Amino acid sequence: MCLKADTCFQSDSQRASEIPEFQSAVCVYHFQEMDPCWLFLFFLLMARDGSCNQEEICSKSMINSCSDCIRSGPFCVWCKKLNFTKPGEQEAVRCDTRATLLKNGCEDEDIISPENSMTKDKAEPLSDSFTQQKLIQLSPQKISLSLRPGSPETFRVSFKRVQGYPVDLYYLMDLSYSMKDDLKNIKELGAQLFAALKKFTEHAQIGFGAFVDKTVLPYTNTNEEKLQKPCDEDYQQCQAAFGYRHVLNLTSSEREFKKKVNQQFISGNLDPPEGSLDAMMQAAVCGDKIGWRNSSTRLIVLTTDAGFHMAGDGKLAGILTPNDEQCHMTDNLYVQSSHMDYPSVGQLATQLSKNNIQPIFAVTKEVVKVYQELSKMIPTSEVGVLSADSGNVVQLIERAYRRLSSKVTLTHGNLPNGVRVSYTPLCAKPGPSGENEGVCDDVPVAHEIAFNVTVTVDSCMTGESFTIRPLGIKDTLTVSLSTECDCKCPEQPTTDNTVCSGQGQVTCGICSCNDGYVGQFCNCAVGDKDEQSLRIHCHKPNSTECEGRGDCVCGRCQCHTTESGSNYYGKYCQCDDEHCEKFQNKLCGGNGKCICGKCECNPDYEGSACQCKKSSLSCLAEDGSECNGRGKCKCDRCECIEGYQRPRCLTCLSCPKPCRTKLNCIECLGFQSGPFKKNCTSSCGSIIHWSMVDQLNFTTKECEQKDSQDCWVKFKLEQLTGVDRFRAQILEKRDCPAPPSVVAIIAGSLASVALIGILLLMLIKVLLYFKDLKEYKKFENEKKKSKWAEADNPLFKGATTTVANPFFTGE
């Protein structure tokens, strides 16, 4: 039964911490006493750390120089020995693994292989206590790496947290109305906060800030009266609404802290989420206003009982400008609160990391899960459950600080392209090795730990650098990178002037020709011609020079030898007799010869690898034809032309249906009509034989199509051997529609005209009637509206004369 791995670590943790060269396998000295399970684990660890030999492989492509070789892979080395290549061999054989070159006769002193190198440019020792003038917690501080692409380099980074290292704690409090009880307690906790921090350091400072939310709808009531007093009416001590306010710079004065906090009052807003991220962002980026010290552990303690707004929530208030991660503090107030959106979690995490600030979220149990998820996205952060009245905040901060300070996370900034970094922690309680960070847990103060950092560069580069640092700590390590991609070969003196034909110097074992001369041995004089114009004759269009199998000498390919000793041949060295298809691990199945990459089979064999005996028994159709004339028989199997199906190419699923394609031919052959009427014989040669019948008796499917005269034609087609060859039977009688009746058409036309005329007359009559009716109604209305005056005509005399008796008295 295997023991747990941490059992051994715990038993030897004290001894391991005292050994500078402490490795991840701290129980090596128990090697003799290990049970088989532990022994297996040990060798697994050794293999993981690279202690086991790795197979060396050199994958070569186009190699024309020593530099090309070095760039091909970490295990590729170059042999500079004179006359190392044999006649016909290319210079690329100088590039291979060290073992292969030594085996082929190259001496060890003639092998060129740039090695990784590391220089510690600055490595000041770690500080023991805070009493020293300059605090050093990470060593080294600057190193330079010269790496070969693909070859990793490992170096050690040491870390020790200084005893009594200064602490800057910025207390950031939610002052919404629901936190009124908490504010009362905080006003009395100043002395306790300083006392808790002094357990860790004599150099502690505390600052204070407050936040609520943006002072715009829908977050805050924008009524002027409510902006000035957003609390309940019966609550008198209430300050005006605000987003974030910096109250007190970081100070070591308990009296000043208590004085400033006592001056604070509750404010209020509308919705439950608060502007926490806005406040944290300003506290992080406004370092000169907050008073963060350059050499200190920086903490932000956020106390709240609500969730938080994040980027995008500002759209609810019409705020579209993204947060710019800049300081906007005027008179200790965040002045862009109502004009700039909330920051995203990613933006906040970046600025906290950039400014070495570690947040502690002291929140109530109702929202603790929300802030636990937030903590996962912000490295080096802690979450604690706050009591209803914040009475336990001091204990919460103390526990969170212990957890933060005992966990050391080493990571890096932005890496140049093609650079990979991995970490292996060397401590009593290491986290898993990884490419993004290395972690050590439960690290005591003033206890030295280390990390093995492995850097690998995948491509050539110069002048690149990146930084490595512990999260939350100011100290950094700057790593400068350069690569060894070129061979630094001096000219090799030689008394043999014929090596380079007297027209060049030997560099790295090969000739470096003078101007006007080219070739492996500088034996080609190009004269007034450009070398490129000569080389163009050595390769086919869109191909490599001499197919990569020869050297271009004076515009002609000189082919190399193959691995077996034979030669490549052809104008472009495109041919060889060794790379043909194999069958049963035999070239051309042992039944033919390989000629220029293709198998030429013996008379009784066929196939791309001469793997089949010639036979056609399985390819014969019922009529004795091979593959029904629609394919070729290879390896006793039909290879059908496109569309036809095996086994004997009888049917074609993707071909157009012959009923439709042969209709014009059937019409012209059987009824002398249709589009092919004038050239029926030449156009319908695919129908070899046809006959007119009164009954169709072929076994094939009956075709029924409508011809050019709108008649239904019935026929059957029988496919013959070959492609597009048919025999046809045509039914003599066509089903044609009856001719139209002329009398009925004329009578119908006349009746239609008469009916349309009558309808038009009726329509006109109806329109006239309605028009007259409208005019009459209008007249009647006008008549009703008229008024006649009553007056007597002064010229009119009535017909009646009245005579009165002047003497009549009436009695």
Side-chain angles (χ1 to χ4, degrees):
M1 180 177 180
C2 290
L3 299 175
K4 292 184 178 179
D6 58 354
T7 303
C8 188
F9 291 153
Q10 291 171 359
S11 62
D12 292 330
S13 60
Q14 182 63 33
R15 182 179 302 183
S17 64
E18 298 172 357
I19 303 175
E21 289 76 17
F22 171 55
Q23 298 291 332
S24 58
V26 296
C27 299
V28 174
Y29 62 91
H30 286 309
F31 182 86
Q32 298 295 334
E33 300 174 7
M34 284 183 184
D35 63 11
C37 213
W38 260 112
L39 191 60
F40 176 75
L41 178 61
F42 169 74
F43 283 114
L44 266 179
L45 289 171
M46 294 292 288
R48 183 194 69 178
D49 293 338
S51 301
C52 298
N53 291 330
Q54 183 178 356
E55 183 182 0
E56 295 185 358
I57 299 175
C58 177
S59 300
K60 300 181 290 184
S61 53
M62 292 295 295
I63 306 297
N64 295 315
S65 65
C66 179
S67 296
D68 291 341
C69 178
I70 298 305
R71 295 166 189 252
S72 297
F75 300 115
C76 292
V77 297
W78 179 266
C79 179
K80 66 176 183 178
K81 182 179 180 180
L82 290 175
N83 301 320
F84 178 71
T85 55
K86 299 175 183 177
E89 282 187 333
Q90 56 182 334
E91 296 292 359
V93 299
R94 294 179 177 272
C95 181
D96 217 315
T97 62
R98 181 182 294 271
T100 302
L101 292 180
L102 292 174
K103 180 181 177 181
N104 292 340
C106 186
E107 303 297 333
D108 192 65
E109 59 270 14
D110 290 328
I111 291 179
I112 300 175
S113 176
E115 301 293 337
N116 293 343
S117 63
M118 180 187 71
T119 304
K120 292 185 178 181
D121 302 320
K122 186 177 182 181
E124 297 184 13
L126 299 174
S127 303
D128 294 324
S129 66
F130 185 67
T131 56
Q132 296 185 9
Q133 183 177 2
K134 191 173 184 180
L135 293 177
I136 304 296
Q137 298 184 103
L138 187 72
S139 184
Q141 294 80 42
K142 288 184 180 180
I143 64 171
S144 297
L145 295 178
S146 179
L147 304 181
R148 181 173 174 177
S151 180
E153 178 69 14
T154 301
F155 57 89
R156 180 163 299 181
V157 178
S158 300
F159 175 82
K160 182 169 66 174
R161 191 180 296 274
V162 173
Q163 181 75 40
Y165 194 70
V167 175
D168 286 343
L169 187 148
Y170 190 71
Y171 199 97
L172 192 55
M173 186 172 182
D174 176 6
L175 287 187
S176 59
Y177 185 74
S178 59
M179 294 287 288
K180 58 181 182 297
D181 294 336
D182 304 75
L183 180 60
K184 293 178 182 178
N185 286 330
I186 294 301
K187 291 179 178 180
E188 305 299 328
L189 291 178
Q192 296 181 39
L193 282 172
F194 277 100
L197 291 179
K198 286 182 179 179
K199 295 179 181 179
F200 311 111
T201 178
E202 292 295 325
H203 310 281
Q205 292 189 157
I206 300 180
F208 190 85
F211 67 91
V212 183
D213 209 344
K214 298 183 183 296
T215 56
V216 293
L217 282 173
Y219 316 116
T220 303
N221 192 332
T222 55
N223 181 280
E224 187 63 31
E225 182 179 348
K226 278 293 186 180
L227 281 175
Q228 296 303 316
K229 189 180 179 181
C231 310
D232 291 344
E233 293 181 1
D234 57 347
Y235 196 85
Q236 299 301 319
Q237 293 181 327
C238 181
Q239 63 173 314
F242 64 96
Y244 161 69
R245 176 179 288 115
H246 170 57
V247 177
L248 174 65
N249 284 11
L250 290 162
T251 178
S252 58
S253 172
E254 296 180 22
R255 185 178 60 82
E256 186 68 17
F257 179 80
K258 184 175 182 179
K259 175 184 175 183
K260 288 291 185 180
V261 174
N262 282 331
Q263 295 173 358
Q264 300 306 304
F265 299 103
I266 288 297
S267 184
N269 63 326
L270 292 177
D271 62 337
E274 315 293 3
S276 314
L277 303 193
D278 258 348
M280 293 183 69
M281 175 62 77
Q282 291 302 302
V285 299
C286 298
D288 55 337
K289 293 179 171 57
I290 303 299
W292 298 112
R293 288 176 288 184
N294 288 332
S295 298
S296 66
T297 298
R298 301 177 177 182
L299 304 175
I300 289 181
V301 178
L302 180 80
T303 58
T304 183
D305 62 351
F308 53 86
H309 285 294
M310 65 181 73
D313 289 354
K315 292 180 180 179
L316 296 173
I319 301 174
L320 304 178
T321 305
N323 195 285
D324 61 1
E325 304 178 41
Q326 301 297 318
C327 181
H328 298 285
M329 295 270 285
T330 302
D331 295 330
N332 291 332
L333 190 68
Y334 177 33
V335 295
Q336 290 295 319
S337 176
S338 301
H339 306 286
M340 195 171 291
D341 196 7
Y342 302 95
S344 67
V345 175
Q347 287 178 309
L348 179 61
T350 298
Q351 289 301 327
L352 290 174
S353 177
K354 181 179 178 181
N355 292 281
N356 302 315
I357 297 173
Q358 304 173 77
I360 299 174
F361 301 108
V363 297
T364 56
K365 62 181 180 180
E366 290 81 9
V367 294
V368 67
K369 289 186 178 179
V370 174
Y371 283 90
Q372 285 173 346
E373 293 300 317
L374 176 62
S375 179
K376 292 177 183 179
M377 294 182 278
I378 299 180
T380 64
S381 61
E382 286 290 333
V383 180
V385 180
L386 194 66
S387 62
D389 60 355
S390 298
N392 66 333
V393 68
V394 175
Q395 294 80 5
L396 190 152
I397 293 173
E398 186 176 340
R399 287 195 300 269
Y401 176 75
R402 289 185 186 277
R403 289 194 297 268
L404 287 173
S405 61
S406 64
K407 182 178 180 180
V408 180
T409 303
L410 194 69
T411 186
H412 51 259
N414 294 331
L415 295 175
N417 292 332
V419 176
R420 291 176 283 124
V421 181
S422 62
Y423 301 87
T424 302
L426 309 176
C427 52
K429 290 188 177 181
S433 301
E435 294 188 357
N436 294 323
E437 61 184 22
V439 178
C440 281
D441 286 317
D442 295 338
V443 179
V445 176
H447 180 84
E448 183 176 338
I449 59 172
F451 296 85
N452 275 344
V453 182
T454 302
V455 181
T456 306
V457 177
D458 295 327
S459 58
C460 298
M461 61 181 62
T462 56
E464 298 287 354
S465 64
F466 64 95
T467 58
I468 294 175
R469 66 182 182 88
L471 290 179
I473 305 296
K474 179 187 175 184
D475 301 65
T476 60
L477 163 62
T478 301
V479 181
S480 300
L481 289 174
S482 61
T483 50
E484 291 289 345
C485 292
D486 297 315
C487 298
K488 299 175 181 178
C489 300
E491 292 185 354
Q492 295 175 241
T494 174
T495 56
D496 188 359
N497 197 36
T498 63
V499 173
C500 297
S501 304
Q503 302 297 334
Q505 298 291 332
V506 177
T507 304
C508 293
I510 60 176
C511 288
S512 177
C513 302
N514 299 333
D515 292 339
Y517 290 87
V518 295
Q520 184 177 5
F521 302 106
C522 306
N523 52 349
C524 176
V526 298
D528 57 353
K529 293 183 180 180
D530 179 60
E531 181 180 355
Q532 191 63 30
S533 63
L534 291 174
R535 290 185 178 276
I536 200 172
H537 298 291
C538 292
H539 60 80
K540 296 183 289 186
N542 301 321
S543 182
T544 57
E545 186 176 283
C546 298
E547 299 294 318
R549 297 172 170 181
D551 298 318
C552 186
V553 180
C554 291
R556 298 184 63 183
C557 287
Q558 290 186 354
C559 301
H560 300 146
T561 56
T562 63
E563 295 178 358
S564 63
S566 61
N567 290 322
Y568 295 104
Y569 61 94
K571 181 179 180 180
Y572 305 107
C573 303
Q574 73 274 20
C575 294
D576 72 272
D577 299 337
E578 296 178 359
H579 293 85
C580 287
E581 190 175 343
K582 291 184 178 181
F583 178 71
Q584 294 182 346
N585 206 29
K586 293 181 180 179
L587 198 65
C588 298
N591 302 312
K593 294 181 179 179
C594 181
I595 306 296
C596 195
K598 292 185 178 181
C599 289
E600 291 190 2
C601 303
N602 297 335
D604 295 334
Y605 289 87
E606 61 181 348
S608 58
C610 303
Q611 70 274 26
C612 308
K613 281 192 173 183
K614 287 185 176 180
S615 174
S616 59
L617 293 178
S618 299
C619 300
L620 297 179
E622 293 181 359
D623 60 356
S625 64
E626 188 177 279
C627 302
N628 281 299
R630 303 177 197 116
K632 294 182 179 180
C633 188
K634 292 185 178 180
C635 291
D636 203 22
R637 188 181 184 187
C638 285
E639 290 187 358
C640 305
I641 62 177
E642 185 177 1
Y644 286 92
Q645 306 296 306
R646 289 175 177 171
R648 294 181 180 86
C649 312
L650 183 61
T651 59
C652 178
L653 299 180
S654 61
C655 297
K657 301 301 180 184
C659 285
R660 184 174 297 276
T661 58
K662 301 303 178 186
L663 173 61
N664 292 334
C665 286
I666 293 297
E667 185 179 359
C668 81
L669 291 172
F671 305 101
Q672 293 79 45
S673 62
F676 294 163
K677 179 180 179 180
K678 296 182 179 180
N679 56 348
C680 189
T681 303
S682 60
S683 299
C684 300
S686 60
I687 300 180
I688 307 302
H689 179 268
W690 61 277
S691 61
M692 303 294 294
V693 296
D694 56 2
Q695 185 176 356
L696 302 173
N697 53 23
F698 280 177
T699 58
T700 56
K701 180 180 178 182
E702 181 179 304
C703 300
E704 185 175 9
Q705 300 289 325
K706 186 175 287 189
D707 64 11
S708 61
Q709 297 178 355
D710 209 26
C711 295
W712 288 99
V713 181
K714 295 182 179 180
F715 58 95
K716 284 189 175 182
L717 295 172
E718 190 177 71
Q719 191 170 11
L720 303 176
T721 301
V723 180
D724 200 29
R725 300 178 74 246
F726 295 91
R727 183 167 60 227
Q729 281 186 344
I730 308 171
L731 198 64
E732 294 177 345
K733 187 177 179 181
R734 292 187 293 179
D735 186 7
C736 297
S741 174
V742 177
V743 175
I745 292 173
I746 294 174
S749 300
L750 292 176
S752 299
V753 171
L755 180 61
I756 292 171
I758 293 171
L759 292 175
L760 286 174
L761 289 174
M762 291 178 66
L763 179 62
I764 293 170
K765 184 65 177 175
V766 170
L767 292 175
L768 290 175
Y769 170 77
F770 280 108
K771 182 179 179 182
D772 292 343
L773 182 63
K774 183 178 179 182
E775 292 293 331
Y776 175 75
K777 287 183 178 181
K778 183 178 180 182
F779 169 76
E780 288 293 330
N781 289 334
E782 293 293 333
K783 182 179 177 182
K784 291 177 181 179
K785 294 178 182 179
S786 63
K787 295 182 180 180
W788 305 96
E790 294 182 0
D792 293 334
N793 189 346
L795 300 179
F796 176 75
K797 290 183 178 182
T800 303
T801 303
T802 303
V803 179
N805 185 355
F807 300 103
F808 179 70
T809 61
E811 296 181 355

